[in-house]
Amino acid sequence: MDNRIPAKDKMKVNNSAELFHRPSFMKILVGGINYSSVQIPTDFMHHLEGVALDTATLTISSGQSWEVKVVKKENDIMLEDGWQKFRDDNDLSTGDVLLFTHSQNMSFDIKIYSPSGLERETGNLGEKGRFSDNDETDNDDSVKEIETSYGTNADWKDPNMAWRFIDFCLEAVPTGNRKTVRTMPWEDIRTRLKEEEHLDFTVKQLIYRWNDLKKRYKIWSELVAAAGNAYDPIKNKIKWSKKKWEQYLKEKPEARKFSRRPLEHPMKMKALFDN
């Protein structure tokens, strides 16, 4: 019996394969790299011949999309303005792996994988990213204006360096004194970051960072309280079953990021925000 595919049918199979095959490339996030922009591989560019290189649309598994400006630097094509927001909104960090699959024109479907190799779940992040507009901040009108204005989130380049900000905040106010956005000596902290870490941020960016961390800590504290004895403070891990996580996340979807990885430096955060 001849099991070979007839020539005319083989053409149909090949055409179908071409129809459903979409070119892709992968990016591994490395500390200090991929944080302010990301390069489209040179060898991938032939897939984009004839495409207007102005704005790229990045869509994650949940269906949410981000617009990112495409910039040409010498012979490199970079995803730049808007990349930081995509990175921050999706809580990307060193070791994460991104699979870019070309959809059409300058549109890419993106799958996000953790350093363990497992695909990360992507929930609904809301229009502004990590947190909704009604999240609590320090009760100050100027702070609210700073936080909700576009582009105030600083690019910390290396995420590990960002935690030095917490150290500087803790050291800036004597132990036992109340630490709030009003009592922090922001100019002193800004100067230390610039002189010791070579990070040049505005006071507005530092206040944005403060409020962002405070929100994270609030969500984490509620999660730990709900976990009770299921929280292991030594390993900084919540030992919940998948079913238990699903139940909690139905009520508290903003805690989804902590189902993938715990809050970093919880004791420092406690010292900073538990007054």
Side-chain angles (χ1 to χ4, degrees), residues 68 151 203 238:
V68 179
V203 169
I238 295 175

Side-chain angles (χ1 to χ4, degrees), residues 231-237 239 266:
Y231 174 63
D232 184 341
I234 297 177
K235 295 183 178 180
N236 191 30
K237 183 176 181 181
K239 299 178 180 179

Side-chain angles (χ1 to χ4, degrees), residues 23 25 50 60 112 121 127 164 172 178 213 230 237 248 252 271:
F25 64 90
I60 61 175
I112 304 172
E121 295 182 15
E127 290 183 5
R164 289 288 290 144
R178 183 174 173 79
L213 292 174
K237 183 176 181 181
Y248 185 80
K252 300 285 187 178

Side-chain angles (χ1 to χ4, degrees), residues 61-224:
S61 301
S62 67
Q64 288 180 279
S65 298
W66 287 256
E67 299 293 321
V68 179
K69 186 177 180 181
V70 180
V71 177
K72 185 174 182 179
K73 293 186 176 180
E74 297 181 353
N75 295 323
D76 296 333
I77 302 298
M78 312 294 293
L79 301 179
E80 199 159 278
D81 295 344
W83 170 254
Q84 295 175 25
K85 180 170 176 56
F86 174 83
R87 177 201 68 197
D88 293 341
D89 285 353
N90 288 284
D91 202 27
L92 302 180
S93 60
T94 300
D96 285 343
V97 179
L98 275 61
L99 178 64
F100 292 72
T101 301
H102 185 228
S103 177
Q104 59 181 347
N105 299 324
M106 277 302 290
S107 296
F108 295 88
D109 294 330
I110 298 184
K111 288 186 178 293
I112 304 172
Y113 297 86
S114 67
S116 68
L118 297 177
E119 183 179 359
R120 284 202 357 213
E121 295 182 15
T122 52
N124 192 327
L125 299 170
E127 290 183 5
K128 284 187 171 290
R130 290 180 185 146
F131 304 102
S132 61
D133 290 342
N134 59 6
D135 281 322
E136 294 180 2
T137 61
D138 283 306
N139 188 21
D140 182 89
D141 291 339
S142 62
V143 174
K144 290 179 181 178
E145 180 182 351
I146 289 167
E147 186 177 353
T148 55
S149 61
Y150 177 79
T152 53
N153 192 8
D155 175 20
W156 292 84
K157 296 182 179 179
D158 186 342
N160 295 322
M161 188 69 72
W163 294 105
R164 289 288 290 144
F165 170 71
I166 294 180
D167 291 332
F168 289 167
C169 287
L170 287 171
E171 293 165 9
V173 178
T175 302
N177 287 20
R178 183 174 173 79
K179 302 173 182 64
T180 70
V181 71
R182 297 189 192 88
T183 62
M184 298 305 295
W186 293 116
E187 283 295 346
D188 293 345
I189 295 171
R190 178 176 179 269
T191 300
R192 283 196 66 185
L193 283 167
K194 187 173 183 179
E195 293 179 352
E196 299 181 28
E197 306 297 343
H198 308 292
L199 298 173
D200 190 6
F201 298 137
T202 66
V203 169
K204 287 185 177 182
Q205 288 174 321
L206 298 183
I207 293 175
Y208 184 100
R209 178 66 175 176
W210 169 280
N211 282 326
D212 185 41
L213 292 174
K214 185 174 182 179
K215 289 174 182 178
R216 291 194 206 185
Y217 179 70
K218 180 176 181 291
I219 294 168
W220 174 257
S221 297
E222 292 175 351
L223 175 59
V224 169

